[in-house]
Amino acid sequence: MINYAHLKSQMIQLLDLLRSILYPNVFDAMEEAHSKEELEAAARRQLREILERIYREPPQYDDVIDTLFSKLPAIRDTLDTDVQAAYEGDPAATCREEVMLAYPAFEAISIFRIAHELYLMKVPMLPRMMTEYAHSLTGIDIHPDATVGPYFFIDHGTGVVIGETCVIGRGCRLYQGVTLGALSFPKGADGVLIKGIPRHPKLEDDVTVYAGATILGNITIGAGSVIGANTWVTRDVPRNSKVVSGD
């Protein structure tokens, strides 16, 4: 029987190790300095222990581990664009280091981008545990199967929800309380919810969604559009549009 409490603590330790590899000057809180090789060896051991716990039918563990570690440089490159977007998009940001150390969005997005790669590899449970851990820390709820482009910025962040089949393009910005959710949940002939079908919004490049806006359903918000605060959107929005409450 799996000890789930221990599994959660292992997951948190794994995230600490992986993010220490990505940004050792930000996330490596250990008192003694560790080389990248030492951190990677520890993270590989921790991930293997977790995989051995959660798989009912063991895969090739080394393949999963090697694939994730091969993705880390690309994850770091994308996270660098997220930091840049926050620094350039928030006049209150004094430096990039402040974004990484103080902004809840970076905490949530850095965890999400790791979890997303594990989700694509169909690793059970672990990706969702990671993003729900980020949710508990930041109030930002991003499903690990969501597709999120580079230069992504969530300002303030509390109450943001990004659903499983969301697709978010390059250079998008969300504010607190934004929901990118499903409008309905279709059922099969047996009355059971149909899983895996697109049911969440697609935001094309350079879309801004202001605080409290709710965008629901498998719709498209065109590139360069602005969705105003506290709006309710359930239809496609053409490119370069502005939607405000009452439209």
Side-chain angles (χ1 to χ4, degrees):
M1 180 179 294
I2 297 174
N3 183 327
Y4 290 104
H6 185 52
L7 180 61
K8 185 174 181 179
S9 67
Q10 285 185 304
M11 176 272 296
I12 294 170
Q13 292 169 14
L14 174 63
L15 279 175
D16 288 343
L17 288 166
L18 290 172
R19 294 195 297 163
S20 293
I21 294 168
L22 292 169
Y23 291 97
N25 59 324
V26 175
F27 291 114
D28 188 1
M30 302 177 188
E31 293 184 2
E32 298 179 3
H34 291 81
S35 68
K36 181 179 178 181
E37 291 74 18
E38 290 172 328
L39 289 170
E40 181 170 328
R44 283 176 174 271
R45 287 193 300 271
Q46 188 75 299
L47 179 54
R48 187 180 185 90
E49 288 181 12
I50 292 172
L51 296 178
E52 289 173 349
R53 283 175 173 269
I54 62 177
Y55 272 104
R56 295 178 180 176
E57 297 182 6
Q60 296 294 323
Y61 294 128
D62 289 338
D63 290 347
V64 175
I65 295 167
D66 289 343
T67 299
L68 177 63
F69 278 84
S70 73
K71 300 286 188 181
L72 291 183
I75 292 173
R76 166 65 191 257
D77 289 344
T78 305
L79 285 172
D80 285 347
T81 72
D82 299 329
V83 172
Q84 186 70 14
Y87 176 67
E88 293 177 353
D90 185 1
T94 61
C95 61
R96 291 165 182 80
E97 290 75 16
E98 182 181 35
V99 170
M100 291 187 283
L101 290 166
Y103 280 45
F106 184 73
E107 186 86 13
I109 294 168
S110 64
I111 292 173
F112 158 76
R113 294 207 183 277
I114 293 169
H116 180 67
E117 296 300 333
L118 290 167
Y119 196 94
L120 293 179
M121 288 186 275
K122 302 187 184 303
V123 174
M125 289 179 32
L126 182 60
R128 193 66 186 272
M129 289 175 65
M130 287 179 168
T131 55
E132 287 302 327
Y133 173 63
H135 185 193
S136 71
L137 292 176
T138 67
I140 298 170
D141 182 2
I142 312 175
H143 192 283
D145 196 28
T147 300
V148 180
Y151 293 94
F152 182 50
F153 177 36
I154 303 174
D155 201 353
H156 303 293
T158 304
V160 166
V161 177
I162 300 173
E164 177 187 11
T165 61
C166 279
V167 177
I168 298 176
R170 178 187 181 94
C172 290
R173 181 189 302 186
L174 310 181
Y175 286 79
Q176 68 272 17
V178 166
T179 296
L180 305 179
L183 185 61
S184 61
F185 301 94
K187 297 180 179 180
D190 58 0
V192 177
L193 293 177
I194 301 173
K195 298 180 183 291
I197 62 172
R199 61 191 185 279
H200 296 95
K202 176 181 179 181
L203 275 55
E204 294 184 342
D205 295 347
D206 302 311
V207 169
T208 298
V209 186
Y210 282 99
T214 299
I215 305 174
L216 301 178
N218 183 21
I219 61 174
T220 298
I221 309 300
S225 293
V226 175
I227 308 299
N230 300 314
T231 51
W232 178 274
V233 182
T234 58
R235 297 180 180 177
D236 291 340
V237 173
R239 291 186 171 202
N240 300 310
S241 298
K242 182 179 289 185
V243 179
V244 297
S245 183
D247 282 0

